[in-house]
C-alpha cells in the first residue's frame, strides 16, 4: 500500500497559477507553503502580496492575505504585526517592489527589527510590467528600458539587498538562496525554515533573498533560464547566510584610506 | 518502489523536470493538454530512484510521488 | 462607409501584425484608420486580438463591441467573438485549427484553411497572411494593391520572402472573393 | 464629568484613545507634532502601540496593515504629509478599511508655511487620489468639537468601512479650550463584528483577503458601483452642519467652516448687538456637504458671503448648492494670514450697502 | 510631411522630443510603459537623458531639479503613480516650475485594474495635492491630438511657469493611428528667457532660488495671490473645446471628453443618419474648463447627457456650468469597462423619449 | 600692516543665521563654503536645501540654490546634475531628512553613482520640528516621541548611513567626520574637500556624514553638547573614510554561520 | 461680556504659563475661555506670546487682532502690540525691563515694575505672577480667589513656594487695582 | 602678532570659543548685544598664539583674525 511522499502542501490552494511556464515563482510559493505547514502556523499566518507578478499570491496561498501598494509590503507587515503580535506575518516581494520603490520601507522595517519574515524574489527584472530594468538587473543585461544592456556608468551597479541590510545593527536573520536547481531549492527551503522559525520564536526580523528566473522577460526558454541564472547571477549574488541574530556586527569599519 | 504521477493539465511544459532528473527518465510528450501545452511524461518509471528532484523542481506542482514500502532518502527535505 | 474587424487568435499567430498591415494599407489608401490591441488581463493566457477600423470619416470608437467582421484564428477566439458580430457581417474562420461550424446563420461565413494553404505554399508561418488576404477579398475594405505595397515594405529587409508572402496573400484573397459566391452553400452542405 | 483645559492636539489624541484607538502610526510635521508626541506617551499606558513611521508614505501603509486586522487605528499629519499619503489613502478606500486620519491644514503649495490655512479643501473632499472614492470629512471649529468628531469618526469609519478624515487647521491643533469626555459614550452607529479582518484563516469563515485589485473589469465595475452606493448612503445619512442667527430674518448669509466660522460668529454677534441680523450656515461634514441646508438658507437671504482661508475652494460647493439663485460673494485671507471679525464685518456691511467688496 | 502610423505612447514620446524635451524621469506602470521605453531608446539618440527613477516620488522630484535648470522635462505615469507624485506636484506648482506630466488613467481606487478609466478627473483638475494651486489639464481624444497637445503643453508650461498635465486613458496609450508632425512648428506662446533658472550665480542676475517656502505669512499670501492671478489668466486665455452637431438644432447635448467623446461622436453620426440631431461639446482643456461653451450649448438643448468612465466626476463641472437650467443626465461605465456607441444611443434615445434612463 | 588670516568666506552671505546659539550647523555651513571657495567653483555651484533646520540654507550660501521636498534632495540633485552635468551640485541634509523619509532617494542616488556631493548632518534628532526621535537617535536618548528614551526593542538601533551606503558596488567616496571640536572640524573640512574634488573631477558620488550638535533639543548648553556628542555619538558613529572610488568592495560576504 | 488679553515677552518669562493660569481660573469661574499661543516663525528669535479670551458666551475667534488688554513684558512686545490695543483698553507695561512710555493716549496705562517687585519678595523668577496679578486687579477679568486656587494647584508639588507666589500675585493685584485710580495721572505727569 | 576681532552683534553667546581656546584668553562679557546675548570678549589679547581655533569653532563667524607680519601655522586649514 503506497504512501505519498511528495504532493501539494496544505498551504497552497489547488489552482493553476498565472505564472509563465518555468517561472520559479511557483517553486518559491511551494517552499514557503511547505515551511508554514511544517511549523504548523498556517492558521495564524497572514501573508502580504506585493505589486508584481506575484500580485495574485493571495489566490494561491491557502491563508488570510493582504495586498500592499507597490513596495510598501514591509510597512503593511509592520502594521499587521504591531496590531497582532500573535500572528505570523510574511511579505513576498519582487526586486522592483522591494529594492526600487520599496527601499525605504524594507530598510526601516529591518532596522526597527519588526518580527516579520520577508521573502525577497530577485529575478533581476520587472516581470509584470514587461521587462524593464530593475535595480538588480545585471551589467549589460538587456531590458526594455535599457535596450542596449544596462550601462553601469549611467545607472550604477546592481543593488545587493542582502549585503546592504546586513550592515544594520539591529539583530536579524538575513540570507540569500536560489531555486534554479532542485538541490539549491532544498537549501532555500532550509533558509526559509530558519527565517520563519526566528519569527515564530519572536527573535528577530528575517529576510531571505531568493534568486529566481523570468524566462519570459529574459527571452530564453525555462531550461536555459536556469543556466543563465547560474552563469550570470550567482557570481554577483553569492548565496549563504549573511547575518544572524547571534552573529556579530557586519558593518564595515573605516579603513582610513 | 517510487512512483511518479504527473497531472497533465497542471503541466505547463517548461521541461525543467526533464532537465532535473538525474536518471533522465522524464520526457516531453507529444500530446497537448487543455491549456495547449505539450506536457511531461514518465518514460522509464522502472529506473526512478525516488530522489524527488523532479517534484522539487516543478514550479506548478504537476508532479507527485508515491512509494510502496520504505525508501532511501538521499536528503532531508 | 466604415469597415471594422476584430482579428483574434493565439499569441504566436501574427494577429497584431496583419492588423497593422491592414491599418497601414487603409492609411495609404487615404482612409481614416485605427488599430487597437487587446491589453490587460486577457493577454495572460496567450490569447490576443486587435480591432482595426477603416473609414472615410474620422474614426469614432477604436474599440468595437459589434464588429462588421470577425477573423477567428482559433476556437477560443470564435467562441468569444462570434456572438458579437453585426447581423449581415462577415465571419472568417480558420478552418485549419477550428473544426466547429459557425453558430450564427445571419452572417456571411467564410472558411479559410489558412494553415493548410500556408503549408502548401511552403510558407507555414504565414497563415496570418492567408487570413488577411481572405478578409480583403471578402470585404474589399482596402484595395489589394495597397496591401501588397505594405507587405513589400514590411518584408523589405528579406526580399526573397516578399514574393512568396504576396502569393500567400493572393491565395487568401481568392478564397475571400471566391468564397463570396461559393463558400456559403458549401457551408450549408457541410 | 469635569472639564479640562486641553490643547487641541492633545484633546484629539485623548479622544482617539477613549474611542478605543490602540495603534497610531505617524510622522512628525508642524503644526500637529503634539498629536504623535501625546500618543507616543499615552498609548503605552493603555496597552497600545505608537510607531513613528519613517515617512507618511509608510505611515499610511502601516495604517493599512493594522486596520486590516480589525483594530482601531489612526494617523495624523499636515498638508505635505497628507499629500504623501494619497496613494495609501486610495488603497484604504479601495479595500474599504476603516481608519481615522487627522489632517491639520497649513498653508501651501509646496513647503509653503506652517500657519493655519484651509487650502486643502478640494483635495480632501474631492480629489485626494486616483480612482472613484470618497472620504468622510468632518471639520471641527473648537477643541471640544474636535474631540467629539474624532470619537464619532471611529464609529463612522467602522460602520461604513471607509476612511474618515477630521480636517482642522493650525488653530485647532495649538489652542487650549475646556474639554469634556463623556464617561459612558455609546457608539453613534451600530457596529457589526469585523468578520472581514485578516486575523488568521482557521476555516470558520471564508479566507480574509484585504485587497483593492480586480483584474476583471466586470468585477471592478461591480466593486466601483458598490462603493458608489456606499457613498450615496453617506450622502443621505451623514450630513452635518449648524446654523446661526437663522431664527431671525437676514439679508446676508455667511457660509464658513472650521475656526473661520468662529471668527464669522463673532462678527455676527457684533452685528446682532447693533440690531442687524446676519445668518450663517457652518458645514461640519464637508463630505457629505450640506447642499440643501446651504441652498435653503441662501434662498432666505439677498446674498451669500463665503469666507475661507483659501483662494476659493469651498465656494465651489456653495455654487453647486446655490447656483445662480443668489449672488455669492467671497472673502478670504491666505498663506497663514487669518480673517478677523473686523474684516468679516466690513465685507458684510459692504454687501448690505451693496458696495464693491474688496476680495482678500 | 507624411503621416505615420504610431502607437499613442510612442507618438507622445516623439512629440515631446520634437518639442525640445531632452530629459525624461519616470517609473514603469501599465498602461503607459511604452512611453518610458520609447524615451529610453530615443532620448540618447538626440543627446538627451533618460533616467528610470526608483519611484514616482523620486521621479517628480528629479523633474523638480531638472526643470529648475530651465530645461524642458517630462514624466509620465498612471493613476497610482500620479498619486505618489502629489507632494512633488504641489512643490512644482508652488515653485512655478514648467514641466509636462502625461497621465494615462487606469481604473481605481487602490491597485484597481489596468484598463481605461476617467476616474482621476477630480484629482487632476481640482485636488491633486495640498495648497492653493491649479494645473493646466489637456485631454486628447486621438493619437494625433495627443501628440499636438503634448507639444502645446511644453509651450504653455514655459509661458505660465506651471505644470501641465496631458490626461489620457489606456486607449490613447495603446492604440495606433496616423500621426503627422509639423516640420517647422512654432511655439504657440511667446516664451521669455528663463532668467529664473538656477544655473550658477555669476552675479549677472540676482541669485536664483527655486523655492516654495515662505515663512512670513504676509509674503506667502502675496505669493498665493500672484499664483491666483496666474490661474485667472489661464482661465481667461486657455479654454479649449470643440463642438459637434451644434450647427443644427438639437434636443440633447452630450458632454464628454477624451476617448469617450469618440464613442459619443460615433453615436451622434448614427443619429444623424436617421435624421436626428444630437449636439456635443467636448472639453479639451479640463482646467480651465469650458463652462461658458457648455452653458450656452446646453441652453439650446432640452436636456444634457454627461458620459464618462467614472461614477460621476466631470458632471460636477457640468453642473457648475448649467446649474438648474437644464436636466442633466448621466451615463457611465467604470472599472475598465468601456461605453459603446450602442449604449450612448440607447441613453440618448431614452432621454429623447424621456424614458427613465438606466444609469450605468 | 595687518593681514586677515581668518574671515567669512565668499560662499557665505553676511547675515546672522536663524540657528540656535552653539548649533554647529553654522560651522558646517562655513566649512562647505570655504571648500567651494578654495575649489573656485562657487559660480557654477547649485546647492540644495533640505527640509529641516537648514531649510533656509539658501539665505546663507552665496550661490544659486534649490529647495527640495522633505528627504528628496538626492532626487532633486539627480535632476539638476543630469540636466546640467557642468554644474557642481550638492545637497545639505539632516538625519531625519536623509535617513528617515529620504532613505530610498539617498540609496538610489548613491547607487546610480550620480556625480553629486551630499553633506549629511547627523545630530541624532529632529531639530526643526521640536526634538522627535530620528533614525540616528541613540539608545536611551530622550526625544519628544520617545520621552522615556529610545527603546531599541521597539524602535531598533540607530541607522549608520555611512556603513550602509559603503556596501554599494558603485564607486563612491564616503566618509564620516565631526565638528564638535575645532581640530576635528579641520579634518571634516578635508573630507569635504575630497568629496567636492571627486565631483569636480567627475569621478563619483560623494557623501560626508558630519556629526553635529543640537543643544536646543538635546536640552543642554552648547559647551556641554559638544561633550555629549563626543561621549555618546563618537563610539557608535566612528569617524573616518569608509569607501573610496579606488578602494575595493566593502560589502560583507556570506559567513556561512 | 468678554475679556481678552495678549500677553507677550521673551521666551523665558513664563508668559504661556500665566496665560494658562488665567484661562484655568476663567474656566473654574464658569466662563468660556480659550488660550492661543503664538507658533511658527516668530517663535524663532525667542519672543513669545499668547492670547487669552474669557467670555460668558462661547468664544468666537481665539486669535484677537485688537485685544481689550495688552500685557507687555519686554520692549519688542510693546512695540509690536501697542498699536493694536482697542481704544479705551488696558495696557500693562513691565516697567522693570521697558524704559519707554506708552505712545497711545487712548489707553488705560499701568506701569508694573514686575521684576523689581518679584526681586523684593525674594521670588525673582515670578515677575510673571506680578504681571498676572496686576492684570486681574486692573480688569477683574476673573475673581482673584479663582486665580489663587489655580496657583495653589499648579504649585501643589512644591508647597513652600505656594505662599510666596500668592503674595507675589497679590502685590501685582494691588498695583493693578491701585493703578486703576492713581497710575494714569502719574503717567500723565511722567 | 595675531589679533582677534569679535563682532559683538554676530555673537550668540554660546561660549564654544571660550571652551576652544587653548590659551583660555576668551571670556563671556557682561554686556548684552542687540540680539540680547552676553557676547564673547578677548580677555588677554597678548597671550594669543594665533591658532585660529576660536575662529574655526565659532558657528556664527563672529570671530575674525588678523596678524601683523608673518606667523607660525600650527596646522593647515
Ligand atoms: C505606484 C506604482 N508604480 C508602478 C506600478 C507598476 N508596477 C507593477 S509591478 C511593477 C514591478 C514588478 O517587478 P518586480 O517587483 O521585480 O516583480 P516581478 O514582476 O519581477 O515578480 C511595477 C513597476 C504600480 N503598480 N504602482
Ligand atoms: C513630507 C513632510 N513630512 C514632514 C515634514 C516636517 N519636518 C520638517 S523638518 C523635519 C525633520 C527635521 O529633522 P532633520 O532632518 O534631522 O534636520 P534638523 O532639523 O535636525 O537639522 C520634519 C519631520 C515636512 N516638512 N514634510
Ligand atoms: S513574467 Fe517573468 S516573473 Fe512574471 S510570471 Fe512570467 S516568468 Fe514569472
Ligand atoms: S516541471 Fe512541471 S510544469 Fe515543467 S514540464 Fe515538468 S511537470 Fe511540467
Ligand atoms: S534646533 Fe537644534 S539643529 Fe536646529 S538650529 Fe537649534 S540647535 Fe541647531
Ligand atoms: S563661538 Fe562665536 S557665537 Fe559662540 S560665543 Fe564665541 S564668538 Fe560668540
Amino acid at each position: 500500500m503506497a504512501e505519498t511522499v511528495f504532493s501539494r502542501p496544505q498551504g497552497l490552494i489547488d489552482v493553476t497559477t498565472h505564472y509563465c511556464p518555468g517561472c520559479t515563482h511557483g517553486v518559491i510559493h511551494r517552499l514557503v507553503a511547505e515551511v508554514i505547514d511544517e511549523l504548523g502556523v498556517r492558521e495564524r499566518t497572514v501573508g502580504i502580496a506585493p505589486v508584481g507578478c506575484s500580485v495574485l499570491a493571495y489566490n494561491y496561498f491557502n491563508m488570510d492575505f493582504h495586498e500592499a501598494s507597490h513596495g510598501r509590503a514591509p510597512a503593511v507587515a509592520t502594521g499587521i504585526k504591531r496590531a497582532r503580535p500573535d500572528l505570523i506575518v510574511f511579505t513576498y516581494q519582487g526586486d522592483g517592489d522591494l529594492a526600487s520603490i520599496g527601499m525605504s520601507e524594507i530598510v526601516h522595517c529591518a532596522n526597527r527589527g519588526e518580527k516579520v519574515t520577508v521573502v525577497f524574489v530577485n529575478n533581476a527584472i520587472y516581470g509584470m510590467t514587461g521587462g524593464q530594468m530593475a535595480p538588480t538587473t545585471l551589467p549589460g543585461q538587456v531590458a526594455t528600458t535599457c535596450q542596449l544592456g544596462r550601462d553601469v556608468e549611467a545607472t550604477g551597479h546592481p543593488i545587493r539587498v542582502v549585503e546592504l541590510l546586513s550592515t544594520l545593527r539591529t539583530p536579524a536573520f538575513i540570507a540569500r538562496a536560489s531555486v534554479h536547481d532542485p538541490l539549491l531549492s532544498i537549501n532555500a527551503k532550509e533558509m526559509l525554515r530558519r527565517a520563519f522559525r526566528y519569527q515564530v520564536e519572536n527573535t528577530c526580523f528575517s529576510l531571505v533573498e531568493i534568486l529566481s528566473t523570468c524566462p519570459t522577460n529574459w527571452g530564453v526558454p525555462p531550461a536555459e533560464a536556469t543556466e543563465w541564472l547560474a552563469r550570470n547571477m550567482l557570481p554577483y549574488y553569492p548565496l549563504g547566510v549573511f547575518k544572524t541574530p547571534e552573529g556579530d556586527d557586519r558593518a564595515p569599519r573605516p579603513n582610513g584610506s | 518502489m517510487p512512483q511518479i504521477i504527473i497531472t497533465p493539465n497542471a503541466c505547463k511544459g517548461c521541461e525543467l523536470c526533464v532537465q532535473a532528473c538525474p536518471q533522465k527518465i522524464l520526457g516531453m510528450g507529444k500530446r497537448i493538454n487543455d491549456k495547449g501545452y505539450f506536457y511531461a511524461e514518465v518514460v522509464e518509471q522502472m529506473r526512478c530512484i525516488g530522489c524527488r528532484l523532479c517534484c522539487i523542481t516543478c514550479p506548478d506542482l504537476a508532479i507527485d510521488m508515491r512509494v510502496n514500502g520504505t525508501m532511501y532518502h538521499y536528503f532531508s527535505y | 462607409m466604415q469597415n471594422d474587424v476584430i482579428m483574434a487568435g493565439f499569441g504566436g499567430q501574427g494577429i497584431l501584425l496583419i492588423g497593422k498591415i491592414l491599418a497601414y494599407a487603409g492609411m495609404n489608401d487615404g482612409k481614416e484608420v485605427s488599430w487597437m490591441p487587446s491589453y490587460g488581463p486577457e493577454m495572460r493566457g496567450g490569447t490576443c486580438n486587435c480591432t482595426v477600423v477603416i473609414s472615410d470619416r474620422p474614426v469614432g470608437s477604436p474599440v468595437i463591441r459589434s464588429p462588421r467582421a470577425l477573423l477567428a484564428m482559433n476556437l477560443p477566439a470564435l467562441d468569444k467573438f462570434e456572438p458579437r458580430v453585426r447581423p449581415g457581417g462577415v465571419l472568417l474562420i480558420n478552418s485549419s485549427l477550428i473544426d466547429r461550424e459557425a453558430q450564427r446563420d445571419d452572417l456571411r461565413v467564410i472558411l479559410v484553411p489558412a494553415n493548410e494553404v500556408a503549408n502548401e505554399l511552403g510558407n507555414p508561418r504565414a497563415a496570418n497572411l492567408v487570413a488577411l488576404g481572405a478578409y480583403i477579398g471578402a470585404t474589399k475594405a482596402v484595395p489589394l494593391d495597397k496591401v501588397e505595397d505594405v507587405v513589400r515594405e514590411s518584408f523589405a529587409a528579406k526580399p526573397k520572402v516578399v514574393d512568396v508572402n504576396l502569393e500567400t496573400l493572393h491565395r487568401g484573397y481568392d478564397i475571400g472573393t471566391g468564397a463570396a459566391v461559393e463558400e456559403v452553400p458549401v457551408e450549408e452542405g457541410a | 464629568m469635569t472639564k479640562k483645559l486641553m490643547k487641541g492636539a492633545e484633546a484629539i489624541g485623548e479622544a482617539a484613545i477613549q474611542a478605543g484607538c490602540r495603534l497610531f502610526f505617524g510622522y512628525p510635521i508642524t503644526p500637529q507634532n503634539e498629536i504623535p508626541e501625546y500618543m507616543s506617551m499615552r498609548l503605552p499606558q493603555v496597552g497600545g502601540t505608537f510607531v513613528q513611521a519613517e515617512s507618511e508614505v509608510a505611515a499610511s501603509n502601516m495604517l493599512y496593515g493594522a486596520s486590516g486586522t480589525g483594530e482601531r487605528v489612526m494617523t495624523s499629519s499636515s498638508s505635505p504629509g497628507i499629500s504623501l499619503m494619497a496613494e495609501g489613502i486610495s488603497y484604504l478606500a479601495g479595500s474599504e478599511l476603516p481608519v481615522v486620519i487627522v489632517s491639520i491644514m497649513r498653508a501651501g503649495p509646496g513647503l509653503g508655511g506652517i500657519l493655519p490655512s484651509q487650502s486643502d479643501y478640494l483635495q480632501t473632499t474631492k480629489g485626494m487620489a486616483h480612482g472613484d472614492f470618497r472620504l468622510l470629512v468632518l471639520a471641527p471649529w473648537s477643541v471640544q468639537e474636535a474631540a467629539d468628531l474624532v470619537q464619532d469618526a471611529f464609529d463612522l469609519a467602522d460602520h461604513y468601512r471607509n476612511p474618515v478624515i477630521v480636517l482642522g487647521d493650525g488653530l485647532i491643533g495649538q489652542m487650549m479650550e475646556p474639554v469634556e469626555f463623556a464617561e459612558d459614550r455609546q457608539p453613534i452607529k451600530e457596529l457589526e463584528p469585523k468578520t472581514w479582518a485578516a486575523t488568521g484563516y482557521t476555516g470558520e469563515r471564508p479566507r480574509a483577503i484585504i485587497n483593492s485589485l480586480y483584474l476583471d473589469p466586470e468585477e471592478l465595475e461591480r466593486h466601483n458601483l458598490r462603493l458608489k452606493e456606499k457613498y450615496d448612503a453617506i450622502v443621505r445619512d451623514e450630513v452635518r452642519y449648524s446654523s446661526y442667527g437663522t431664527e431671525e430674518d437676514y439679508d446676508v448669509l455667511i457660509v464658513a467652516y472650521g475656526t473661520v466660522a468662529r471668527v464669522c460668529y463673532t462678527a455676527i454677534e457684533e452685528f446682532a448687538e447693533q440690531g442687524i441680523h446676519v445668518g450663517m450656515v457652518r458645514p461640519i461634514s464637508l463630505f457629505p456637504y450640506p447642499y440643501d441646508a446651504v441652498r435653503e438658507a441662501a434662498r432666505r437671504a439677498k446674498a451669500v458671503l463665503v469666507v475661507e482661508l483659501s483662494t476659493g475652494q469651498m465656494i465651489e460647493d456653495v455654487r453647486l448648492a446655490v447656483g445662480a439663485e443668489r449672488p455669492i460673494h467671497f472673502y478670504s485671507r491666505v498663506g497663514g494670514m487669518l480673517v478677523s471679525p473686523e474684516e468679516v464685518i466690513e465685507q458684510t456691511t459692504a454687501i448690505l450697502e451693496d458696495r464693491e467688496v474688496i476680495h482678500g
Side-chain angles (χ1 to χ4, degrees), chain A, chain B, chain C, chain D:
Chain A
M1 53 120 326
E3 159 213 17
T4 300
V5 293
F6 193 102
S7 63
R8 174 180 300 274
Q10 264 198 310
L12 282 186
I13 297 167
D14 190 357
V15 293
T16 316
T17 67
H18 68 287
Y19 298 114
C20 305
C23 172
T24 45
H25 263 304
V27 175
I28 300 166
H29 278 34
R30 196 190 69 240
L31 297 179
V32 171
E34 286 170 348
V35 165
I36 289 171
D37 280 5
E38 292 171 17
L39 293 172
V41 294
R42 188 175 61 86
E43 297 193 343
R44 59 183 179 104
T45 295
V46 174
I48 300 157
V51 178
C53 278
S54 41
V55 69
L56 295 175
Y58 51 75
N59 289 340
Y60 309 138
F61 283 97
N62 186 20
M63 48 198 80
D64 279 359
F65 237 80
H66 239 284
E67 154 206 76
S69 57
H70 191 32
R72 320 304 177 189
V76 173
T78 299
I80 298 172
K81 190 74 178 189
R82 294 293 185 125
R84 290 288 306 270
D86 55 314
L87 297 176
I88 301 303
V89 180
F90 76 95
T91 73
Y92 186 106
Q93 305 179 252
D95 46 4
D97 190 74
L98 181 142
S100 187
I101 193 170
M103 177 58 76
S104 184
E105 284 71 23
I106 190 61
V107 168
H108 286 284
C109 179
N111 192 70
R112 277 190 309 267
E114 301 296 341
K115 312 276 188 304
V116 300
T117 301
V118 174
V119 180
F120 169 40
V121 179
N122 178 358
N123 60 11
I125 198 114
Y126 283 13
M128 184 189 216
T129 41
Q132 296 82 9
M133 184 185 81
T136 48
T137 295
L138 293 168
Q141 182 184 342
V142 170
T144 56
T145 48
C146 55
Q147 298 175 32
L148 306 177
R150 179 175 187 161
D151 170 8
V152 295
E153 280 310 308
T155 65
H157 288 261
I159 291 181
R160 295 165 301 187
V161 170
V162 154
E163 286 78 347
L164 188 83
L165 295 179
S166 297
T167 64
L168 296 172
R169 171 78 186 70
T170 305
F173 175 76
I174 298 176
R176 181 183 286 121
S178 182
V179 291
H180 69 284
D181 167 311
L183 290 169
L184 288 173
S185 298
I186 293 162
N187 167 264
K189 184 175 176 182
E190 175 54 25
M191 293 298 140
L192 287 167
R193 202 180 274 120
R194 287 179 68 179
F196 275 93
R197 192 176 295 127
Y198 277 119
Q199 180 180 178
V200 171
E201 289 161 359
N202 201 38
T203 307
C204 63
F205 170 87
S206 54
L207 175 144
V208 182
E209 171 174 340
I210 301 180
L211 305 182
S212 185
T213 63
C214 179
T216 302
N217 287 299
W218 292 356
V220 294
E224 284 175 39
T226 57
E227 281 151 30
W228 191 93
L229 186 159
R231 198 167 53 254
N232 300 288
M233 293 180 78
L234 284 185
Y236 190 80
Y237 298 113
L239 308 185
V241 174
F242 283 72
K243 181 178 166 74
T244 62
E246 305 80 22
D248 45 14
D249 194 345
R250 301 303 316 275
R253 311 287 305 165
N255 55 10
S257 69
Chain B
M1 231 294 289
Q3 184 192 352
I4 305 281
I5 304 117
I6 298 181
T7 314
N9 285 332
C11 174
K12 291 178 182 165
C14 72
E15 303 189 22
L16 290 180
C17 53
V18 177
Q19 189 184 39
C21 178
Q23 296 291 85
K24 297 282 164 258
I25 63 167
L26 297 176
M28 302 311 293
K30 303 265 150 298
R31 278 164 297 164
I32 296 187
N33 66 10
D34 297 357
K35 296 199 192 57
Y37 297 117
F38 292 95
Y39 56 91
E41 290 170 345
V42 188
V43 185
E44 287 181 84
Q45 179 65 72
M46 292 309 298
R47 291 181 43 243
C48 177
I49 58 174
C51 65
R52 293 169 298 165
L53 291 180
C54 56
C55 310
I56 293 165
T57 302
C58 178
D60 291 280
L61 282 146
I63 314 181
D64 290 357
M65 182 184 289
R66 318 180 79 244
V67 283
N68 299 331
T70 60
M71 115 190 194
Y72 176 67
H73 276 207
Y74 297 83
F75 45 77
S76 66
Y77 173 79
Chain C
M1 225 292 287
Q2 169 162 318
N3 277 286
D4 45 55
V5 56
I6 291 181
M7 300 173 161
F10 286 128
Q13 288 177 302
I15 305 260
L16 300 185
L17 175 65
I18 55 172
K20 287 183 191 175
I21 292 176
L22 177 60
Y24 262 107
M27 179 177 78
N28 297 342
D29 188 38
K31 296 281 200 332
E32 304 282 349
V33 301
S34 76
W35 171 91
M36 181 72 205
S38 58
Y39 78 96
E42 65 272 20
M43 279 178 64
R44 296 240 179 227
T47 76
C48 122
N49 71 73
C50 67
T51 305
V52 178
V53 181
I54 301 172
S55 172
D56 28 23
R57 281 176 315 188
V59 176
S61 174
V63 179
I64 307 285
R65 245 202 131 300
S66 317
R68 291 175 166 84
L70 168 64
L71 171 51
M73 291 295 284
N74 69 2
L75 184 58
L78 183 63
D79 294 343
K80 180 171 180 190
F81 295 108
E82 179 181 8
R84 292 217 217 139
V85 182
R86 278 202 191 192
V90 179
L91 171 56
L92 297 112
I93 298 178
N94 176 5
S95 53
S96 307
L97 299 188
I98 305 172
D99 55 8
R100 83 157 167 85
E101 298 177 5
Q103 278 152 357
R104 300 268 302 266
D105 55 10
D106 58 345
L107 302 178
R108 187 150 60 94
V109 179
I110 300 169
L111 299 182
V112 187
N115 298 64
E116 276 95 333
V117 175
N119 293 339
E120 273 174 39
L121 296 171
N123 195 7
R125 309 192 50 259
N128 57 340
L129 286 178
V130 179
L132 174 62
Y135 170 76
I136 307 287
T139 63
K140 309 285 188 304
V142 292
L144 183 57
D145 61 321
K146 295 288 181 206
V147 183
E148 291 170 349
D149 296 346
V150 180
V151 171
R152 279 195 198 82
E153 280 174 39
S154 354
F155 297 93
K158 21 191 153 64
K160 59 176 128 46
V161 305
V162 169
D163 294 346
V164 56
N165 279 335
L166 288 177
E167 188 184 352
T168 313
L169 181 73
H170 291 142
R171 282 290 297 278
Y173 186 83
D174 298 339
I175 296 173
T177 44
V181 289
E182 296 152 22
E183 286 291 328
V184 182
V186 172
E187 176 66 2
E188 284 164 355
Chain D
M1 158 87 213
T2 60
K3 280 190 176 178
K4 210 158 156 299
L5 199 61
M6 283 184 107
K7 224 178 188 199
E10 293 168 4
I12 285 168
E14 186 57 34
I17 285 170
Q18 302 217 8
C21 171
R22 287 296 173 270
L23 291 125
F24 182 97
F25 305 91
Y27 189 75
I29 182 168
T30 310
Q32 60 82 58
N33 291 313
E34 296 81 357
I35 300 176
E37 285 166 8
Y38 185 84
M39 294 308 253
S40 72
M41 212 192 58
R42 272 291 273 139
L43 274 171
Q45 296 170 359
V46 295
T49 303
F50 166 86
V51 177
Q52 182 172 318
E54 60 269 34
S55 71
E56 292 85 355
V57 171
S60 63
N61 286 281
M62 290 175 181
L63 214 61
Y64 186 91
S67 96
T69 67
E71 298 293 318
R72 284 192 157 184
V73 301
M74 176 166 103
T75 189
S76 66
S77 189
S78 179
S79 308
I82 293 292
S83 291
L84 278 176
M85 295 186 184
E87 188 203 21
I89 290 174
S90 180
Y91 272 73
L92 285 161
S95 300
E96 297 189 87
L97 291 178
V99 301
V100 173
I101 299 169
V102 175
S103 169
I104 304 296
M105 292 181 280
R106 55 188 252 181
L111 193 48
I114 63 179
L115 293 173
S117 166
Q118 296 182 320
S119 55
D120 304 345
Y121 178 93
L122 288 171
Q123 176 193 30
T124 314
T125 58
K126 302 183 192 290
M128 179 63 79
H130 66 284
D132 267 313
F133 73 89
R134 292 295 194 158
L135 304 164
L136 237 149
V137 185
L138 304 173
W141 77 334
S142 70
V143 173
Q144 179 67 60
E145 192 175 43
D148 297 342
L149 291 182
V150 164
Q151 296 195 321
D152 293 354
F154 280 97
D155 295 336
L156 292 167
D158 282 344
H159 179 75
Y160 289 106
R161 287 191 59 186
N162 207 64
V164 178
I165 293 199
V166 176
L167 187 69
D169 60 42
L171 293 184
I172 285 289
Q174 297 297 321
M175 73 192 288
M176 273 185 131
E177 283 188 316
V179 193
E180 216 170 341
F181 290 102
E183 249 123 22
D184 52 358
R185 180 181 176 283
Q186 296 306 314
I188 61 169
K189 288 280 174 181
E190 108 274 348
L191 304 173
E192 280 142 23
K194 298 180 175 178
T195 52
W196 49 264
T199 55
Y201 173 53
T202 55
E204 286 144 21
R205 50 151 176 77
R207 284 195 311 132
I209 295 175
I210 308 296
N211 177 44
S212 68
L213 173 68
Y214 299 85
L215 280 177
D216 170 4
E218 299 187 354
E219 243 186 278
L220 184 50
E221 181 170 60
R222 279 192 296 276
H223 176 59
N224 284 142
L225 294 176
R226 264 204 321 94
L227 290 177
K228 177 70 161 65
E229 276 170 26
K230 180 168 81 174
Y231 305 139
D232 291 343
I234 290 172
V235 167
R236 193 182 60 239
D237 301 338
E238 304 303 337
V239 171
R240 298 187 183 200
Y241 65 93
S242 47
S243 312
Y244 308 85
T246 46
E247 52 295 330
E248 311 279 350
D249 293 342
Y250 49 87
D251 291 338
V252 173
L253 176 77
I254 292 177
V255 185
Y257 72 97
T259 54
V260 176
R262 291 172 69 132
V263 176
C264 297
Y265 177 77
T266 304
I268 289 174
E269 294 213 311
E270 306 218 347
F271 273 118
E273 280 161 19
Q274 307 157 40
I276 302 169
H277 298 304
V278 174
M280 171 162 83
V281 170
R282 173 175 73 95
I284 295 169
S285 60
L286 302 184
F287 181 88
Y289 192 82
Y291 291 110
D292 299 343
V294 170
R295 185 181 309 105
E296 279 141 33
R299 285 183 174 147
R300 295 175 46 201
K302 289 205 184 63
V304 176
L305 172 62
V306 176
V307 185
E308 357 172 17
L309 300 181
S310 90
T311 57
Q313 298 201 9
M314 182 184 71
I315 191 172
E316 250 188 54
D317 277 326
V318 175
R319 288 211 186 91
L320 283 169
V322 178
E325 294 187 36
R326 293 289 181 281
I328 299 172
H329 301 274
F330 181 70
Y331 184 72
S332 79
R333 295 306 298 271
V334 293
M337 298 300 286
L338 297 174
V339 170
S340 68
E342 293 76 8
E343 292 165 309
V344 177
I345 290 168
E346 185 201 339
Q347 294 296 318
T348 312
T349 314
I351 296 170
L352 287 166
E353 302 168 358
D354 56 50
R355 279 191 273 107
E356 220 337 278
V357 187
I358 318 89
H359 279 207

